[in-house]
Amino acid sequence: MPLSYFYVFEFYQKNLLMGKGRLEAFSDGVLAIIITIMVLEMKVPHGTELASLKPLLPVFISYVLSFINIGIYWNNHHHMIHTAKHVNGSVLWANIHLLFWLSLVPFVTGWMGENNFAKWPVILYGIVLLMAGFAYYLLAHCLTASHGKDSTLAMAIGKDRKGILSIIIYAAGVALSFINPLLGLAMYIIVAGMWFIPDSRIEKKWKQELSNK
Amino acid sequence: MPLSYFYVFEFYQKNLLMGKGRLEAFSDGVLAIIITIMVLEMKVPHGTELASLKPLLPVFISYVLSFINIGIYWNNHHHMIHTAKHVNGSVLWANIHLLFWLSLVPFVTGWMGENNFAKWPVILYGIVLLMAGFAYYLLAHCLTASHGKDSTLAMAIGKDRKGILSIIIYAAGVALSFINPLLGLAMYIIVAGMWFIPDSRIEKKWKQELSNK
Amino acid sequence: MPLSYFYVFEFYQKNLLMGKGRLEAFSDGVLAIIITIMVLEMKVPHGTELASLKPLLPVFISYVLSFINIGIYWNNHHHMIHTAKHVNGSVLWANIHLLFWLSLVPFVTGWMGENNFAKWPVILYGIVLLMAGFAYYLLAHCLTASHGKDSTLAMAIGKDRKGILSIIIYAAGVALSFINPLLGLAMYIIVAGMWFIPDSRIEKKWKQELSNK
Amino acid sequence: MPLSYFYVFEFYQKNLLMGKGRLEAFSDGVLAIIITIMVLEMKVPHGTELASLKPLLPVFISYVLSFINIGIYWNNHHHMIHTAKHVNGSVLWANIHLLFWLSLVPFVTGWMGENNFAKWPVILYGIVLLMAGFAYYLLAHCLTASHGKDSTLAMAIGKDRKGILSIIIYAAGVALSFINPLLGLAMYIIVAGMWFIPDSRIEKKWKQELSNK
């Protein structure tokens, strides 16, 4: 059996048999739909004047914040799954669990935007982001558990300080929203800023790995 | 002709020429959309108080149940198609038939949720799940028929006791809903629990197959 | 340079560089969305009785017919593009042109269903199907033009009698709808039945081609 | 290590490890959804007469224009990303930024169509297209920056005169809309016409590159 067969087979196995490809395709599909249907919450106004857009401003701000958040999740999900070498049943479900919380983002975005950042909508928005953050943390740990402590992925994710910190800031944001929802909103924006840069830990490890070869 | 050509060609043929890739892509697309547009049934409430979310509770519960069900279908579909070596015309249509019944899930989810699990909506929800279960059973049998009785796929699916059992429990759920819709709902939840674990039969066969090589 | 490089490169070139993959992905995406958002036209009824579903019956019938039609397009598109060896600019636009007419299907399905197969909605439904049929015919000819008259694809499509016949029956259906819309509807159903079987001409040519190798 | 391994690995690396594939898949998903949900802005009319479609005419014209615009973006995006050899973090974000502006197209299409091309809707439509044009320009420059000035991509894009010209015409269109919105609309149609043909610069460079090998 020629060696080349082995490599092609491994390529085949890694990307198709183990279903990483479909996990990515399904996640991409769900995230693409979430990010796009949020725009449907911005109802076309009846007037034709510039002023008729004014009531849509908080809806638009909510939309921008959620768009960035979903963009961040897509970006980091993309980096994490690429580093993964295989996926198993628990990873598939951890991924669906993450998508579940993210699927609620259009609903809470709409509620928050249409009510001009009122207390309860801002709290619920934070809770959904908090749960999504927790689900992402869970997914990262399902992946590292199946790859072993010494894998590129495990070392790249490390202690996942950024993930834990996000969850703490989200929780603080939810608590602060009871005092003033704008404080809560500020917390959510801080987390978004923190994650805006794609997960450089993983990118760095990749480059190391490749240059070692 | 070098052997490596043969393997690359076979890889090409299996995954692209035979269209398994597009069947997966199209199914992923439809399932991703179904799972995501269901959230549009949760209409953003007008009030800003926590209490204004209360009427949405049954809608939310229905959403969670349907989300899990579509997640299960995606998961098992994913395992089954991966084990398949080729697809033909009847498989393509059996797949579209399955997607048809699943596409009705958002409608019945909305009707059931908005009416607080009233009798007829719960019955219709069960009928749609029953038909989807039957369509999945059909798809499994179209696949095994074209792969032969001695194929990995056929052995993995076996007598498909789980598939047949699901259909029976769904039928029981529909019947019980005439007495009390909550009994029917309980049956649907039992089936979801039963399938929650990805099809271990196929996963097991895979590992056997791979280790035999 | 080893031969195996050539084959891998060719594989790469055919499927990725020439963008067949993305044409398929984009088309799959659009068709998956079209087929799924049509269900949003079936508005969840307010009542909880079985009778409250009755006004939805024509909407449901329209949905089934359109679901089958989009399924047929996906199926045949899938077969045709797989046989194609490369795509160029005119093919990309011919494909977008086809998707344009298909994107109008949810609108005409909704209008026809909500108005119980009234004259003008049935006529417009037929015109959209007629234009989609014509766009598919155009796409087939853009593809054969770029592949040459002696290519597998050109021979497989042949004189495209089925495509021309469909357009004629659709035109007849539109004309007959002025007399009685149900006659028009019958014509549309006949064309759907005619195409239900995936394009066996292409499948046959494939098998011949493969066995000749 | 056989050479063939190297080529397969390179293939793997270029298309999967570097995530070009997922960038394409996510973009295809978002663009497919944008192009398809726009049709939801065309609300099914209540009447069954041909006349009941008349108020939908400006909505339909807006839909056609936006469909062509999104089609152009998909087409050019497709050509540009194919020429790219790798993507990095800034490219991913430049891409999400482009998708953000394009995601606003259904909203402005709806506002413009429902108000029969009134001044402010036409201005806003132009601003969104202008920003999308600018975002595409940014994306092109992020890509050329990471590929080097002497790369195929950089040479293919060149000074991007067409991109800069589009932005100028869009700006002119926005300004002219203050005088007469139909003048603005004419400008937007001119840009669409200008881009209708896929980016022949890149296609030409490809062919050169391939024939040089």
Side-chain angles (χ1 to χ4, degrees):
Chain A
M1 192 169 78
L3 262 172
S4 57
Y5 165 67
F6 178 72
Y7 298 115
V8 171
F9 179 74
E10 223 193 36
F11 160 74
Y12 170 74
Q13 187 186 355
K14 264 187 206 156
N15 293 284
L16 296 166
L17 201 67
M18 292 309 166
K20 224 182 76 169
R22 271 195 84 179
L23 185 142
E24 292 181 333
F26 184 67
S27 306
D28 282 351
V30 172
L31 293 176
I33 297 157
I34 290 170
I35 219 168
T36 323
I37 63 170
M38 279 191 301
V39 89
L40 296 178
E41 294 295 336
M42 286 207 289
K43 301 286 179 337
V44 171
H46 289 294
T48 64
E49 285 310 297
L50 195 58
S52 61
L53 289 178
K54 218 185 142 191
L56 284 174
L57 196 67
V59 182
F60 181 69
I61 294 169
S62 305
Y63 176 62
V64 173
L65 181 60
S66 295
F67 195 98
I68 292 171
N69 271 310
I70 301 290
I72 289 166
Y73 272 104
W74 177 73
N75 225 327
N76 286 306
H77 188 269
H78 163 106
H79 276 77
M80 190 162 69
I81 301 295
H82 264 295
T83 314
K85 287 199 165 61
H86 44 81
V87 297
N88 58 21
S90 65
V91 168
L92 292 186
W93 278 108
N95 191 55
I96 287 177
H97 177 240
L98 170 62
L99 295 179
F100 173 74
W101 291 106
L102 293 178
S103 81
L104 296 177
V105 167
F107 174 78
V108 291
T109 302
W111 201 33
M112 187 170 80
E114 281 175 29
N115 293 293
N116 210 351
F117 306 104
K119 195 179 73 177
W120 280 105
V122 173
I123 289 167
L124 196 72
Y125 188 84
I127 289 171
V128 167
L129 288 186
L130 177 65
M131 291 308 296
F134 175 65
Y136 189 81
Y137 176 87
L138 260 181
L139 175 60
H141 282 71
C142 280
L143 276 164
T144 51
S146 77
H147 282 73
K149 279 191 182 171
D150 304 321
S151 62
T152 313
L153 191 99
M155 286 187 293
I157 293 176
K159 292 188 179 166
D160 199 8
R161 287 202 195 93
K162 217 169 159 185
I164 297 166
L165 190 61
S166 304
I167 293 170
I168 293 168
I169 303 179
Y170 279 138
V174 169
L176 285 168
S177 298
F178 283 94
I179 304 168
N180 187 337
L182 294 182
L183 286 174
L185 197 66
M187 292 297 118
Y188 310 156
I189 292 169
I190 286 169
V191 178
M194 218 170 84
W195 281 100
F196 198 72
I197 305 133
D199 211 321
S200 60
R201 296 170 301 174
I202 291 180
E203 217 165 76
K204 219 176 280 170
K205 287 278 171 191
W206 264 8
K207 283 179 190 161
Q208 275 181 24
E209 188 103 323
L210 285 172
S211 61
N212 288 346
K213 279 190 180 162
Chain B
M1 193 170 77
L3 262 172
S4 56
Y5 166 66
F6 177 73
Y7 298 116
V8 171
F9 180 74
E10 221 193 35
F11 160 74
Y12 171 75
Q13 187 187 356
K14 264 185 206 158
N15 292 284
L16 297 164
L17 202 66
M18 292 310 167
K20 225 182 78 170
R22 272 194 84 178
L23 184 142
E24 292 182 332
F26 185 67
S27 306
D28 282 351
V30 172
L31 292 176
I33 297 157
I34 290 170
I35 219 168
T36 323
I37 63 171
M38 278 191 303
V39 87
L40 295 177
E41 294 294 337
M42 286 206 288
K43 302 283 179 342
V44 171
H46 289 294
T48 65
E49 285 312 295
L50 196 58
S52 60
L53 289 178
K54 219 187 143 189
L56 284 173
L57 196 66
V59 182
F60 181 70
I61 294 170
S62 305
Y63 177 62
V64 173
L65 180 60
S66 294
F67 196 97
I68 292 172
N69 271 310
I70 301 289
I72 289 166
Y73 272 104
W74 177 73
N75 225 327
N76 286 306
H77 188 269
H78 163 106
H79 277 77
M80 188 162 68
I81 301 294
H82 264 295
T83 313
K85 286 198 167 61
H86 44 80
V87 297
N88 58 21
S90 65
V91 169
L92 292 186
W93 278 108
N95 191 55
I96 288 178
H97 177 242
L98 171 62
L99 295 178
F100 173 74
W101 290 105
L102 293 178
S103 81
L104 296 177
V105 168
F107 174 78
V108 290
T109 303
W111 200 34
M112 187 170 80
E114 281 174 30
N115 292 295
N116 211 350
F117 307 103
K119 193 180 76 177
W120 281 105
V122 172
I123 289 167
L124 196 72
Y125 187 84
I127 289 171
V128 167
L129 288 186
L130 176 67
M131 291 309 294
F134 173 65
Y136 188 80
Y137 176 86
L138 259 181
L139 175 60
H141 282 71
C142 280
L143 276 164
T144 51
S146 75
H147 282 73
K149 278 190 182 173
D150 303 322
S151 62
T152 313
L153 191 98
M155 285 188 293
I157 293 175
K159 292 188 177 165
D160 200 8
R161 288 204 194 91
K162 218 168 159 185
I164 296 165
L165 190 61
S166 304
I167 292 169
I168 293 168
I169 304 178
Y170 279 139
V174 169
L176 285 170
S177 298
F178 283 94
I179 304 166
N180 186 339
L182 294 182
L183 286 174
L185 198 65
M187 292 297 119
Y188 310 156
I189 292 168
I190 285 170
V191 177
M194 218 169 84
W195 281 100
F196 198 73
I197 304 131
D199 211 320
S200 60
R201 294 169 301 174
I202 292 181
E203 218 165 73
K204 218 175 281 170
K205 286 280 171 190
W206 265 7
K207 284 179 190 162
Q208 274 181 24
E209 189 103 324
L210 286 171
S211 61
N212 289 347
K213 279 189 181 162
Chain C
M1 195 169 76
L3 262 172
S4 56
Y5 165 66
F6 178 72
Y7 297 116
V8 171
F9 180 75
E10 224 194 34
F11 160 73
Y12 171 75
Q13 187 187 355
K14 264 186 209 157
N15 292 285
L16 296 165
L17 202 68
M18 292 309 167
K20 226 182 77 170
R22 272 194 83 180
L23 185 143
E24 291 181 334
F26 185 67
S27 306
D28 282 351
V30 171
L31 293 176
I33 298 157
I34 290 170
I35 219 169
T36 324
I37 63 172
M38 278 191 303
V39 87
L40 296 177
E41 294 294 337
M42 285 207 291
K43 302 285 180 335
V44 171
H46 290 294
T48 65
E49 285 310 298
L50 196 58
S52 60
L53 289 179
K54 217 186 144 191
L56 285 173
L57 196 66
V59 182
F60 181 70
I61 293 170
S62 305
Y63 176 63
V64 173
L65 180 60
S66 294
F67 196 97
I68 291 171
N69 270 309
I70 302 290
I72 288 166
Y73 272 104
W74 176 73
N75 226 326
N76 286 305
H77 189 269
H78 162 106
H79 276 77
M80 188 162 68
I81 301 294
H82 264 296
T83 313
K85 287 198 166 60
H86 44 79
V87 298
N88 58 21
S90 64
V91 169
L92 292 185
W93 278 108
N95 191 55
I96 288 178
H97 177 241
L98 170 62
L99 295 178
F100 173 74
W101 290 106
L102 293 178
S103 81
L104 296 177
V105 167
F107 174 78
V108 290
T109 303
W111 200 34
M112 187 170 80
E114 282 174 29
N115 292 293
N116 210 351
F117 307 104
K119 192 179 75 176
W120 280 105
V122 172
I123 290 167
L124 197 72
Y125 188 84
I127 289 171
V128 167
L129 288 186
L130 175 67
M131 291 308 295
F134 174 64
Y136 189 81
Y137 176 86
L138 258 181
L139 175 60
H141 282 72
C142 280
L143 276 165
T144 50
S146 76
H147 281 73
K149 279 191 181 171
D150 303 322
S151 62
T152 312
L153 192 97
M155 286 187 294
I157 294 176
K159 292 190 179 165
D160 200 8
R161 287 203 196 92
K162 217 168 160 186
I164 296 166
L165 190 61
S166 303
I167 293 171
I168 293 167
I169 303 179
Y170 279 138
V174 169
L176 286 169
S177 299
F178 283 94
I179 303 165
N180 187 337
L182 295 182
L183 286 174
L185 197 65
M187 292 297 119
Y188 311 156
I189 292 169
I190 286 169
V191 177
M194 218 169 84
W195 281 100
F196 197 74
I197 304 131
D199 211 321
S200 61
R201 295 169 300 174
I202 291 182
E203 216 164 75
K204 217 175 281 171
K205 287 278 170 188
W206 266 7
K207 282 179 191 162
Q208 274 180 24
E209 187 104 322
L210 286 171
S211 61
N212 288 345
K213 280 190 180 163
Chain D
M1 195 168 77
L3 263 172
S4 58
Y5 166 65
F6 178 72
Y7 299 115
V8 171
F9 180 75
E10 223 192 37
F11 160 74
Y12 171 74
Q13 188 187 354
K14 264 185 207 158
N15 292 285
L16 296 165
L17 202 67
M18 292 307 167
K20 226 182 77 171
R22 271 194 84 180
L23 185 142
E24 292 181 333
F26 184 68
S27 306
D28 282 351
V30 172
L31 293 176
I33 298 157
I34 290 171
I35 220 169
T36 324
I37 63 171
M38 279 191 302
V39 87
L40 296 177
E41 295 294 337
M42 286 207 291
K43 303 284 180 335
V44 171
H46 289 294
T48 64
E49 285 310 297
L50 195 57
S52 60
L53 288 178
K54 217 187 144 190
L56 284 174
L57 195 67
V59 183
F60 181 70
I61 293 169
S62 306
Y63 176 61
V64 173
L65 180 60
S66 295
F67 196 97
I68 291 170
N69 271 309
I70 301 290
I72 288 166
Y73 272 104
W74 176 72
N75 224 326
N76 285 306
H77 188 269
H78 162 106
H79 277 78
M80 189 163 68
I81 301 294
H82 263 296
T83 313
K85 287 199 165 58
H86 44 80
V87 298
N88 58 22
S90 65
V91 168
L92 292 186
W93 278 109
N95 192 56
I96 288 178
H97 177 241
L98 170 62
L99 295 179
F100 173 74
W101 290 107
L102 293 178
S103 80
L104 296 178
V105 167
F107 174 78
V108 290
T109 303
W111 200 34
M112 187 169 80
E114 281 174 30
N115 292 293
N116 209 351
F117 307 103
K119 193 179 75 176
W120 281 105
V122 172
I123 289 168
L124 197 72
Y125 187 84
I127 290 171
V128 167
L129 288 186
L130 177 66
M131 291 308 296
F134 174 65
Y136 188 81
Y137 177 87
L138 260 181
L139 175 60
H141 282 72
C142 279
L143 276 164
T144 50
S146 77
H147 281 73
K149 279 191 180 171
D150 304 321
S151 61
T152 313
L153 192 97
M155 286 188 293
I157 293 177
K159 292 188 178 166
D160 200 8
R161 286 201 196 94
K162 217 168 158 186
I164 296 166
L165 190 61
S166 303
I167 294 171
I168 293 169
I169 304 178
Y170 279 138
V174 169
L176 286 170
S177 298
F178 282 94
I179 304 166
N180 187 336
L182 294 182
L183 286 173
L185 197 66
M187 293 296 119
Y188 310 156
I189 292 168
I190 286 169
V191 178
M194 218 170 83
W195 282 99
F196 198 73
I197 305 132
D199 212 321
S200 61
R201 294 170 302 173
I202 293 181
E203 215 163 77
K204 218 176 281 171
K205 286 279 170 188
W206 265 7
K207 283 179 190 161
Q208 274 180 25
E209 188 104 321
L210 286 172
S211 61
N212 288 346
K213 280 189 179 160

